[in-house]
Amino acid sequence: MQGSFGRHSLNVLFPLVFEFGIQRHSAASIHSRVIRNKCNFNNCCHPSQTRSQLLKIRTKSARFSRRSLPKNMSTSSAMSMSKFNDWLPETDEVYCRLKSMATEQGGWTESTNTNSGIKPKRELFTRVETDDGPVIHYALFLHEREMRLCGVCQFGLQAQGPPDYVHGGASATMHDSITGVLTHGAIKERCVTASLNVNFKNPTPLRTAILIEASVEKIDGKKIHLKACLKKADGSRVYSDSRALYVSIESKLREIEQRSNGKI
């Protein structure tokens, strides 16, 4: 069995090793290749730029999508004037549309806006930032009475899974976040996620405005059932949808707090 397992492992690993060219390069040769790349960059870039900055520029240039640029703006000029993950013009267009709708219809409040410059009171996974800016940029509007939520988001380069598309875990993170925001805003109780089922309908593109929708389907005692989806900005394509179950732990937490205060 041991010999068979070893042969099987090699059969699986060899194509991967061949694909990435690892079998041809030792650690020393890889290091020397990086140094050569640095020299090549120094020949065409400003001498004051550091190696990490140069490598970052190469990564940005390779991944920068022209579909995210405003008309009549080149890649180089856009990158020189802003961070790579900055709030996109198309994201701002969707945001303004939603804000106008919220004002006209009434009952809507803006609960979150990562582009406002206001930092959250505590660290949040969805608010992680790099030198390129926020990994996930988003703005959410909440209608408490109707128990609905809408918004817009965009995923930065660091949320990448397949080339030029969002990692499934990043999409699931947004589904968990928006259903959590809606639950807290509509129920006004402390709740936790009991289950989250995400269906990936179509690949979600990076650096593109994504329309967000979520709603409470029903409340059954301490259980809150919700649904959500991430769509193309014009609503013509669903990238992913989800069903979530939240459970209120408010009564349990109050009991624990009372015990700790000596009231029980």
Side-chain angles (χ1 to χ4, degrees):
M1 284 295 292
Q2 185 176 358
S4 174
F5 177 78
R7 286 194 299 273
H8 177 71
S9 299
L10 287 175
N11 289 337
V12 173
L13 290 175
F14 182 77
L16 297 176
V17 174
F18 182 83
E19 180 183 354
F20 291 100
I22 297 174
Q23 80 284 4
R24 292 181 177 270
H25 301 285
S26 63
S29 65
I30 291 174
H31 176 72
S32 64
R33 193 171 47 159
V34 170
I35 297 302
R36 287 198 300 273
N37 285 339
K38 176 187 175 183
C39 295
N40 292 337
F41 272 118
N42 284 333
N43 291 333
C44 62
C45 299
H46 196 280
S48 64
Q49 291 174 308
T50 65
R51 172 183 167 190
S52 62
Q53 288 172 326
L54 294 172
L55 292 176
K56 188 178 297 180
I57 289 173
R58 182 176 65 170
T59 302
K60 290 178 180 180
S61 299
R63 296 303 182 193
F64 199 89
S65 173
R66 288 189 177 272
R67 66 173 175 267
S68 63
L69 290 174
K71 292 181 179 179
N72 303 322
M73 180 179 287
S74 66
T75 299
S76 58
S77 62
M79 288 174 60
S80 64
M81 66 182 293
S82 63
K83 290 184 177 180
F84 189 64
N85 290 343
D86 271 357
W87 190 259
L88 295 170
E90 62 182 281
T91 303
D92 194 59
E93 181 181 345
V94 177
Y95 167 76
C96 291
R97 189 179 77 212
L98 293 175
K99 188 170 184 178
S100 177
M101 176 273 298
T103 303
E104 291 175 1
Q105 294 185 4
W108 292 91
T109 56
E110 184 173 336
S111 64
T112 310
N113 186 346
T114 58
N115 194 45
S116 65
I118 301 174
K119 297 295 183 181
K121 296 179 180 179
R122 58 188 176 88
E123 297 296 326
L124 294 171
F125 183 56
T126 53
R127 301 295 292 272
V128 171
E129 293 192 20
T130 69
D131 291 340
D132 290 325
V135 177
I136 306 176
H137 244 325
Y138 60 99
L140 305 176
F141 295 88
L142 178 69
H143 199 299
E144 294 183 9
R145 182 172 54 82
E146 296 183 359
M147 298 186 181
R148 290 196 295 139
L149 177 146
C150 67
V152 61
C153 74
Q154 67 180 54
F155 293 92
L157 177 64
Q158 290 76 12
Q160 184 170 225
D164 298 325
Y165 291 98
V166 178
H167 191 286
S171 295
T173 294
M174 258 334 276
H175 280 281
D176 187 42
S177 179
I178 61 180
T179 52
V181 169
L182 177 55
T183 300
H184 176 74
I187 308 303
K188 302 298 184 184
E189 293 183 2
R190 288 171 285 186
C191 302
V192 293
T193 312
S195 68
L196 176 67
N197 297 312
V198 181
N199 301 307
F200 299 100
K201 305 287 190 179
N202 291 285
T204 306
L206 292 172
R207 289 184 51 76
T208 300
I210 309 293
L211 184 64
I212 296 170
E213 293 178 356
S215 61
V216 175
E217 290 190 298
K218 67 174 182 177
I219 300 175
D220 182 15
K222 295 182 179 181
K223 298 179 180 179
I224 303 98
H225 300 262
L226 307 96
K227 63 179 180 180
C229 66
L230 303 183
K231 297 180 177 181
K232 192 174 180 179
D234 61 4
S236 62
R237 173 178 294 182
V238 175
Y239 296 123
S240 58
D241 60 28
S242 66
R243 299 274 177 172
L245 171 63
Y246 282 74
V247 176
S248 172
I249 56 172
E250 185 68 29
S251 59
K252 187 66 177 178
L253 290 177
R254 286 181 179 177
E255 181 181 339
I256 293 173
E257 291 167 355
Q258 289 176 352
R259 287 183 183 279
S260 64
N261 293 331
K263 295 182 179 180
I264 296 180

